[in-house]
Coordinates of all heavy atoms in Angstrom, one line a residue:
R1492 N -1.2 -20.5 16.9 CA -1.3 -19.4 16.0 C -2.7 -19.3 15.5 O -3.4 -20.2 15.2 CB -0.4 -19.7 14.8 CG -0.4 -18.7 13.8 CD 0.5 -19.0 12.6 NE 0.2 -18.0 11.6 CZ 1.1 -17.6 10.7 NH1 2.3 -18.1 10.7 NH2 0.8 -16.8 9.8
S1493 N -3.2 -18.1 15.4 CA -4.5 -17.8 15.0 C -4.7 -18.0 13.5 O -3.7 -18.1 12.7 CB -4.9 -16.3 15.3 OG -4.7 -16.1 16.7
K1494 N -5.9 -17.9 13.1 CA -6.3 -18.1 11.6 C -5.7 -16.9 10.8 O -5.8 -15.8 11.1 CB -7.8 -18.2 11.5 CG -8.2 -18.5 10.1 CD -9.7 -18.7 10.0 CE -10.1 -19.0 8.6 NZ -11.5 -19.2 8.4
S1495 N -5.2 -17.3 9.6 CA -4.7 -16.4 8.7 C -5.8 -15.5 8.1 O -7.0 -15.9 8.1 CB -4.0 -17.1 7.5 OG -3.8 -16.3 6.4
S1496 N -5.5 -14.3 7.7 CA -6.4 -13.4 7.1 C -6.7 -13.6 5.6 O -7.5 -13.1 5.0 CB -6.0 -11.9 7.3 OG -5.8 -11.6 8.6
L1497 N -5.8 -14.5 5.1 CA -5.8 -14.7 3.6 C -6.5 -16.1 3.3 O -6.0 -17.1 3.8 CB -4.4 -14.7 3.1 CG -4.2 -14.8 1.6 CD1 -4.9 -13.6 0.9 CD2 -2.8 -14.8 1.2
S1498 N -7.5 -16.1 2.5 CA -8.1 -17.4 2.1 C -7.3 -18.0 0.9 O -6.6 -17.3 0.2 CB -9.6 -17.1 1.6 OG -9.6 -16.5 0.4
N1499 N -7.5 -19.3 0.8 CA -6.8 -20.0 -0.3 C -7.2 -19.4 -1.7 O -6.4 -19.3 -2.6 CB -7.1 -21.5 -0.3 CG -6.5 -22.1 0.9 OD1 -5.5 -21.7 1.4 ND2 -7.0 -23.3 1.3
K1500 N -8.5 -19.0 -1.8 CA -9.0 -18.5 -3.1 C -8.3 -17.1 -3.4 O -7.9 -16.8 -4.5 CB -10.5 -18.3 -3.0 CG -11.1 -17.8 -4.3 CD -12.6 -17.7 -4.2 CE -13.2 -17.2 -5.5 NZ -14.7 -17.0 -5.4
A1501 N -8.2 -16.3 -2.3 CA -7.5 -15.0 -2.5 C -6.1 -15.2 -2.9 O -5.5 -14.5 -3.7 CB -7.7 -14.1 -1.3
E1502 N -5.4 -16.1 -2.2 CA -4.0 -16.3 -2.5 C -3.8 -16.8 -3.9 O -2.9 -16.4 -4.6 CB -3.4 -17.4 -1.5 CG -1.9 -17.6 -1.6 CD -1.3 -18.4 -0.5 OE1 -1.9 -18.5 0.6 OE2 -0.3 -18.9 -0.8
E1503 N -4.7 -17.7 -4.3 CA -4.6 -18.2 -5.7 C -4.8 -17.1 -6.7 O -4.1 -17.0 -7.7 CB -5.7 -19.3 -5.9 CG -5.7 -19.9 -7.3 CD -4.5 -20.6 -7.7 OE1 -3.8 -21.1 -6.8 OE2 -4.2 -20.6 -8.9
R1504 N -5.7 -16.2 -6.4 CA -5.9 -15.0 -7.3 C -4.7 -14.1 -7.4 O -4.4 -13.5 -8.5 CB -7.1 -14.2 -6.9 CG -8.4 -14.9 -7.2 CD -9.6 -14.0 -6.8 NE -9.6 -12.8 -7.6 CZ -10.3 -11.7 -7.3 NH1 -11.0 -11.7 -6.2 NH2 -10.3 -10.7 -8.0
L1505 N -4.0 -14.0 -6.3 CA -2.8 -13.2 -6.3 C -1.6 -13.9 -7.0 O -0.8 -13.2 -7.7 CB -2.4 -12.8 -4.9 CG -3.3 -11.8 -4.2 CD1 -3.0 -11.7 -2.7 CD2 -3.2 -10.4 -4.8
L1506 N -1.5 -15.2 -6.8 CA -0.5 -15.9 -7.5 C -0.7 -16.1 -9.0 O 0.3 -16.2 -9.7 CB -0.3 -17.3 -6.8 CG 0.3 -17.3 -5.4 CD1 0.2 -18.7 -4.8 CD2 1.7 -16.8 -5.4
N1507 N -1.9 -16.2 -9.4 CA -2.3 -16.5 -10.8 C -3.4 -15.5 -11.2 O -4.6 -15.9 -11.4 CB -2.7 -17.9 -11.0 CG -1.7 -18.9 -10.6 OD1 -0.6 -18.9 -11.1 ND2 -1.9 -19.7 -9.6
P1508 N -3.1 -14.2 -11.3 CA -4.1 -13.3 -11.6 C -4.7 -13.5 -13.0 O -4.1 -14.0 -13.9 CB -3.4 -11.9 -11.6 CG -2.0 -12.2 -11.8 CD -1.8 -13.6 -11.3
A1509 N -6.0 -13.1 -13.1 CA -6.7 -13.2 -14.4 C -6.1 -12.2 -15.4 O -5.7 -11.1 -15.0 CB -8.2 -12.9 -14.2
R1510 N -6.1 -12.6 -16.7 CA -5.7 -11.7 -17.7 C -6.4 -10.4 -17.7 O -7.7 -10.4 -17.6 CB -5.8 -12.4 -19.1 CG -4.7 -13.4 -19.3 CD -4.9 -13.9 -20.8 NE -3.7 -14.6 -21.1 CZ -2.9 -14.4 -22.1 NH1 -3.3 -13.5 -23.0 NH2 -1.8 -15.1 -22.3
G1511 N -5.7 -9.3 -17.8 CA -6.4 -8.0 -17.9 C -6.8 -7.5 -16.5 O -7.3 -6.4 -16.5
S1512 N -6.6 -8.2 -15.4 CA -7.0 -7.7 -14.1 C -6.0 -6.7 -13.6 O -4.9 -6.6 -14.0 CB -7.1 -8.9 -13.2 OG -5.8 -9.4 -12.9
A1513 N -6.5 -6.0 -12.6 CA -5.6 -5.0 -11.9 C -4.5 -5.7 -11.2 O -3.4 -5.2 -11.1 CB -6.5 -4.2 -10.9
I1514 N -4.7 -6.9 -10.7 CA -3.7 -7.7 -10.1 C -2.6 -8.0 -11.1 O -1.4 -7.9 -10.8 CB -4.2 -9.0 -9.4 CG1 -5.2 -8.6 -8.3 CG2 -3.1 -9.8 -8.8 CD1 -6.0 -9.8 -7.7
E1515 N -3.0 -8.5 -12.3 CA -2.0 -8.7 -13.3 C -1.2 -7.5 -13.7 O 0.0 -7.5 -13.8 CB -2.6 -9.3 -14.5 CG -1.6 -9.7 -15.6 CD -2.2 -10.1 -16.9 OE1 -3.1 -9.4 -17.4 OE2 -1.8 -11.1 -17.5
A1516 N -1.9 -6.4 -13.8 CA -1.2 -5.1 -14.1 C -0.2 -4.7 -13.0 O 0.9 -4.2 -13.3 CB -2.3 -4.0 -14.3
A1517 N -0.6 -4.9 -11.8 CA 0.3 -4.6 -10.7 C 1.6 -5.5 -10.7 O 2.7 -5.0 -10.6 CB -0.4 -4.8 -9.3
R1518 N 1.4 -6.8 -11.0 CA 2.5 -7.7 -11.1 C 3.4 -7.3 -12.3 O 4.6 -7.2 -12.2 CB 2.0 -9.1 -11.3 CG 3.2 -10.1 -11.3 CD 2.7 -11.5 -11.5 NE 2.1 -11.6 -12.8 CZ 1.5 -12.7 -13.2 NH1 1.3 -13.7 -12.4 NH2 0.9 -12.7 -14.4
E1519 N 2.8 -6.9 -13.4 CA 3.6 -6.5 -14.6 C 4.3 -5.2 -14.4 O 5.4 -5.0 -14.9 CB 2.7 -6.5 -15.8 CG 2.3 -7.8 -16.3 CD 1.4 -7.8 -17.5 OE1 1.1 -6.7 -18.0 OE2 0.9 -8.9 -17.9
F1520 N 3.7 -4.4 -13.5 CA 4.4 -3.1 -13.2 C 5.6 -3.3 -12.3 O 6.5 -2.4 -12.2 CB 3.3 -2.2 -12.4 CG 3.8 -0.8 -12.1 CD1 4.0 0.1 -13.1 CD2 4.2 -0.5 -10.8 CE1 4.4 1.4 -12.8 CE2 4.6 0.8 -10.5 CZ 4.8 1.7 -11.5
G1521 N 5.7 -4.5 -11.6 CA 6.8 -4.8 -10.8 C 6.5 -4.9 -9.3 O 7.4 -5.1 -8.5
I1522 N 5.3 -4.9 -9.0 CA 4.9 -5.1 -7.6 C 5.1 -6.6 -7.2 O 4.6 -7.4 -7.9 CB 3.5 -4.6 -7.3 CG1 3.4 -3.1 -7.5 CG2 3.0 -5.0 -5.9 CD1 2.1 -2.5 -7.4
D1523 N 5.8 -6.8 -6.1 CA 6.1 -8.2 -5.7 C 4.9 -8.7 -4.9 O 4.7 -8.4 -3.7 CB 7.3 -8.3 -4.9 CG 7.7 -9.7 -4.5 OD1 6.9 -10.6 -4.7 OD2 8.9 -9.8 -4.0
L1524 N 4.0 -9.4 -5.5 CA 2.8 -9.9 -4.9 C 3.1 -10.9 -3.9 O 2.2 -11.2 -3.0 CB 1.8 -10.4 -6.0 CG 1.3 -9.3 -7.0 CD1 0.4 -10.0 -8.0 CD2 0.6 -8.2 -6.2
T1525 N 4.2 -11.6 -3.9 CA 4.5 -12.6 -2.9 C 4.7 -12.0 -1.6 O 4.4 -12.5 -0.5 CB 5.8 -13.4 -3.3 OG1 6.9 -12.6 -3.4 CG2 5.5 -14.2 -4.6
L1526 N 5.2 -10.7 -1.5 CA 5.3 -10.0 -0.3 C 4.0 -9.7 0.3 O 3.8 -9.8 1.5 CB 6.1 -8.7 -0.5 CG 7.6 -8.9 -0.8 CD1 8.2 -7.5 -1.1 CD2 8.3 -9.6 0.3
L1527 N 3.0 -9.3 -0.5 CA 1.7 -9.1 -0.1 C 1.0 -10.3 0.5 O 0.4 -10.3 1.6 CB 0.8 -8.5 -1.3 CG -0.7 -8.3 -1.0 CD1 -0.8 -7.3 0.1 CD2 -1.4 -7.9 -2.2
I1528 N 1.2 -11.4 -0.2 CA 0.7 -12.7 0.2 C 1.3 -13.1 1.6 O 0.6 -13.5 2.5 CB 1.0 -13.8 -0.8 CG1 0.2 -13.6 -2.0 CG2 0.7 -15.2 -0.2 CD1 0.6 -14.4 -3.2
E1529 N 2.6 -12.9 1.7 CA 3.3 -13.2 3.0 C 2.7 -12.4 4.1 O 2.5 -12.9 5.2 CB 4.8 -12.9 2.8 CG 5.7 -13.4 3.8 CD 7.1 -13.1 3.4 OE1 7.6 -13.7 2.4 OE2 7.8 -12.3 4.1
R1530 N 2.5 -11.1 3.9 CA 1.9 -10.3 5.0 C 0.5 -10.7 5.3 O 0.0 -10.7 6.4 CB 1.9 -8.8 4.6 CG 3.3 -8.3 4.2 CD 4.2 -8.3 5.4 NE 3.8 -7.5 6.5 CZ 4.2 -7.6 7.7 NH1 5.2 -8.4 8.0 NH2 3.8 -6.8 8.7
L1531 N -0.3 -11.0 4.3 CA -1.7 -11.3 4.5 C -1.9 -12.7 5.1 O -3.0 -13.0 5.6 CB -2.5 -11.2 3.2 CG -2.7 -9.8 2.6 CD1 -3.4 -9.9 1.3 CD2 -3.5 -9.0 3.6
R1532 N -0.9 -13.5 5.1 CA -0.9 -14.8 5.8 C -0.9 -14.6 7.3 O -1.3 -15.5 8.0 CB 0.2 -15.7 5.3 CG 0.0 -16.3 4.0 CD 1.2 -17.2 3.6 NE 1.0 -17.8 2.3 CZ 2.0 -18.3 1.6 NH1 3.2 -18.3 2.0 NH2 1.7 -18.8 0.4
L1533 N -0.4 -13.5 7.7 CA -0.4 -13.2 9.1 C -1.7 -12.7 9.6 O -2.5 -12.1 8.9 CB 0.7 -12.1 9.4 CG 2.1 -12.4 9.0 CD1 3.0 -11.1 9.2 CD2 2.7 -13.6 9.7
T1534 N -2.0 -13.0 10.9 CA -3.2 -12.4 11.5 C -3.0 -10.9 11.7 O -1.9 -10.4 11.7 CB -3.5 -13.1 12.8 OG1 -2.5 -12.8 13.7 CG2 -3.6 -14.6 12.7
P1535 N -4.1 -10.2 11.9 CA -4.0 -8.8 12.1 C -3.1 -8.5 13.4 O -2.3 -7.6 13.3 CB -5.4 -8.3 12.4 CG -6.2 -9.3 11.5 CD -5.5 -10.6 11.6
E1536 N -3.3 -9.3 14.4 CA -2.4 -9.2 15.6 C -1.0 -9.3 15.3 O -0.1 -8.6 15.8 CB -2.9 -10.1 16.7 CG -4.3 -9.9 17.2 CD -5.4 -10.5 16.4 OE1 -5.1 -11.3 15.4 OE2 -6.5 -10.2 16.7
E1537 N -0.6 -10.3 14.5 CA 0.8 -10.6 14.1 C 1.3 -9.4 13.3 O 2.5 -9.0 13.5 CB 0.9 -11.9 13.3 CG 0.7 -13.1 14.1 CD 0.5 -14.4 13.3 OE1 0.0 -14.3 12.2 OE2 0.9 -15.4 13.8
R1538 N 0.5 -8.9 12.4 CA 0.9 -7.7 11.6 C 1.2 -6.5 12.5 O 2.2 -5.8 12.3 CB -0.1 -7.4 10.5 CG 0.0 -8.3 9.4 CD -1.0 -7.9 8.3 NE -2.1 -8.9 8.3 CZ -3.3 -8.7 7.9 NH1 -3.6 -7.6 7.4 NH2 -4.2 -9.7 7.9
V1539 N 0.3 -6.3 13.5 CA 0.5 -5.1 14.4 C 1.8 -5.3 15.2 O 2.6 -4.4 15.3 CB -0.7 -5.0 15.3 CG1 -0.4 -4.0 16.5 CG2 -1.9 -4.5 14.5
R1540 N 2.1 -6.5 15.7 CA 3.3 -6.8 16.4 C 4.5 -6.6 15.6 O 5.5 -5.9 16.0 CB 3.3 -8.2 17.0 CG 2.6 -8.4 18.2 CD 2.9 -9.7 18.9 NE 2.7 -10.9 18.1 CZ 1.5 -11.6 18.0 NH1 0.5 -11.2 18.7 NH2 1.4 -12.6 17.3
E1541 N 4.5 -7.0 14.3 CA 5.7 -6.8 13.4 C 5.8 -5.3 13.1 O 7.0 -4.8 13.1 CB 5.5 -7.6 12.2 CG 5.7 -9.0 12.4 CD 6.0 -9.8 11.1 OE1 6.2 -9.2 10.0 OE2 6.1 -11.1 11.2
L1542 N 4.8 -4.6 13.0 CA 4.8 -3.1 12.7 C 5.4 -2.4 13.9 O 6.3 -1.5 13.8 CB 3.5 -2.6 12.4 CG 3.4 -1.1 12.2 CD1 4.3 -0.6 11.1 CD2 1.9 -0.6 11.9
Q1543 N 5.0 -2.8 15.1 CA 5.5 -2.2 16.4 C 7.0 -2.5 16.5 O 7.8 -1.6 16.9 CB 4.8 -2.8 17.6 CG 5.1 -2.1 18.9 CD 4.7 -0.6 18.9 OE1 3.6 -0.3 18.6 NE2 5.6 0.3 19.1
R1544 N 7.4 -3.7 16.2 CA 8.9 -4.0 16.2 C 9.7 -3.1 15.2 O 10.7 -2.6 15.6 CB 9.1 -5.5 15.9 CG 9.0 -6.4 17.1 CD 9.5 -7.8 16.7 NE 8.6 -8.4 15.8 CZ 7.8 -9.4 16.2 NH1 7.8 -9.9 17.4 NH2 7.0 -10.0 15.3
A1545 N 9.1 -2.9 14.0 CA 9.8 -2.1 13.1 C 9.8 -0.6 13.5 O 10.9 0.1 13.4 CB 9.1 -2.2 11.7
M1546 N 8.8 -0.1 14.1 CA 8.7 1.2 14.7 C 9.7 1.4 15.8 O 10.4 2.4 15.9 CB 7.3 1.6 15.1 CG 6.3 1.7 14.0 SD 4.6 1.9 14.5 CE 4.7 3.2 15.6
N1547 N 9.9 0.4 16.7 CA 10.8 0.5 17.8 C 12.2 0.5 17.2 O 13.1 1.3 17.7 CB 10.6 -0.7 18.7 CG 9.4 -0.6 19.5 OD1 8.8 0.5 19.6 ND2 8.9 -1.7 20.0
S1548 N 12.5 -0.3 16.2 CA 13.9 -0.3 15.6 C 14.2 1.0 15.0 O 15.3 1.6 15.1 CB 13.9 -1.4 14.5 OG 13.8 -2.7 15.1
L1549 N 13.2 1.6 14.3 CA 13.4 2.9 13.6 C 13.7 4.0 14.7 O 14.6 4.8 14.5 CB 12.2 3.3 12.8 CG 12.3 4.6 12.1 CD1 13.5 4.7 11.1 CD2 11.0 4.8 11.3
A1550 N 13.0 3.9 15.8 CA 13.2 4.9 16.9 C 14.6 4.8 17.5 O 15.2 5.8 17.7 CB 12.1 4.7 18.0
R1551 N 15.1 3.6 17.6 CA 16.4 3.4 18.1 C 17.5 3.9 17.1 O 18.4 4.5 17.5 CB 16.7 1.9 18.4 CG 16.1 1.4 19.7 CD 16.6 0.0 20.1 NE 16.4 -1.0 19.1 CZ 15.2 -1.7 18.9 NH1 14.2 -1.5 19.8 NH2 15.1 -2.6 18.0
I1552 N 17.2 3.7 15.8 CA 18.2 4.2 14.8 C 18.2 5.7 14.8 O 19.2 6.3 14.8 CB 17.8 3.6 13.4 CG1 18.1 2.1 13.4 CG2 18.5 4.3 12.3 CD1 17.4 1.4 12.2
R1553 N 17.0 6.3 14.9 CA 16.9 7.8 14.9 C 17.6 8.3 16.1 O 18.3 9.3 16.1 CB 15.5 8.2 14.9 CG 14.8 8.1 13.6 CD 13.4 8.6 13.6 NE 12.8 8.6 12.3 CZ 11.6 8.7 12.0 NH1 10.7 8.8 13.0 NH2 11.1 8.7 10.8
G1554 N 17.4 7.7 17.3 CA 18.1 8.1 18.5 C 19.6 8.0 18.4 O 20.3 9.0 18.8
A1555 N 20.1 6.9 17.8 CA 21.6 6.8 17.6 C 22.1 7.8 16.7 O 23.2 8.4 16.9 CB 21.9 5.4 17.1
A1556 N 21.3 8.1 15.6 CA 21.8 9.1 14.6 C 21.8 10.5 15.2 O 22.8 11.3 15.0 CB 20.8 9.1 13.4
R1557 N 20.9 10.8 16.1 CA 20.9 12.1 16.8 C 22.1 12.3 17.7 O 22.7 13.3 17.8 CB 19.6 12.4 17.6 CG 18.4 12.7 16.7 CD 17.2 13.0 17.5 NE 16.1 13.2 16.6 CZ 15.0 12.4 16.7 NH1 14.8 11.5 17.6 NH2 14.0 12.6 15.8
K1558 N 22.4 11.2 18.4 CA 23.6 11.2 19.3 C 24.9 11.4 18.5 O 25.8 12.1 19.0 CB 23.6 10.0 20.1 CG 22.6 9.9 21.2 CD 22.7 8.6 22.0 CE 21.5 8.5 23.0 NZ 21.6 7.2 23.7
A1559 N 25.0 10.7 17.4 CA 26.2 10.8 16.5 C 26.3 12.1 15.8 O 27.4 12.5 15.5 CB 26.2 9.6 15.5
G1560 N 25.2 12.7 15.5 CA 25.2 14.0 14.7 C 25.4 15.2 15.6 O 26.1 16.1 15.6

């Protein structure tokens, strides 16, 4: 597996944002920062592969919906 795109320092900032920071405001607004961390732990290539899989699944669902409709 290739190197993650997320440094330990960046992950720490997302997990424990500074008071008054935009990251803290996002968390308080309800944004799940753990999902962001999870995605950023992946390499860019891994993220592209996952996006491609999601796009392929969506295309299959749309095709099935058109046939049913």
Side-chain angles (χ1 to χ4, degrees):
R1492 179 177 168 153
S1493 301
K1494 187 176 178 182
S1495 169
S1496 299
L1497 185 65
S1498 71
N1499 289 338
K1500 184 178 178 181
E1502 185 170 337
E1503 180 62 28
R1504 287 183 64 198
L1505 289 169
L1506 289 171
N1507 301 300
R1510 282 184 167 234
S1512 68
I1514 297 170
E1515 181 187 48
R1518 184 180 65 190
E1519 289 179 3
F1520 185 73
I1522 294 174
D1523 186 350
L1524 297 175
T1525 61
L1526 293 175
L1527 176 61
I1528 292 167
E1529 197 175 291
R1530 301 299 298 166
L1531 290 175
R1532 283 180 180 160
L1533 300 174
T1534 64
E1536 293 83 8
E1537 290 168 328
R1538 283 184 251 156
V1539 168
R1540 278 196 301 272
E1541 288 197 7
L1542 178 59
Q1543 188 63 53
R1544 277 191 287 253
M1546 290 171 51
N1547 291 341
S1548 293
L1549 182 58
R1551 283 193 299 276
I1552 291 167
R1553 284 182 175 163
R1557 285 187 187 119
K1558 288 180 185 177

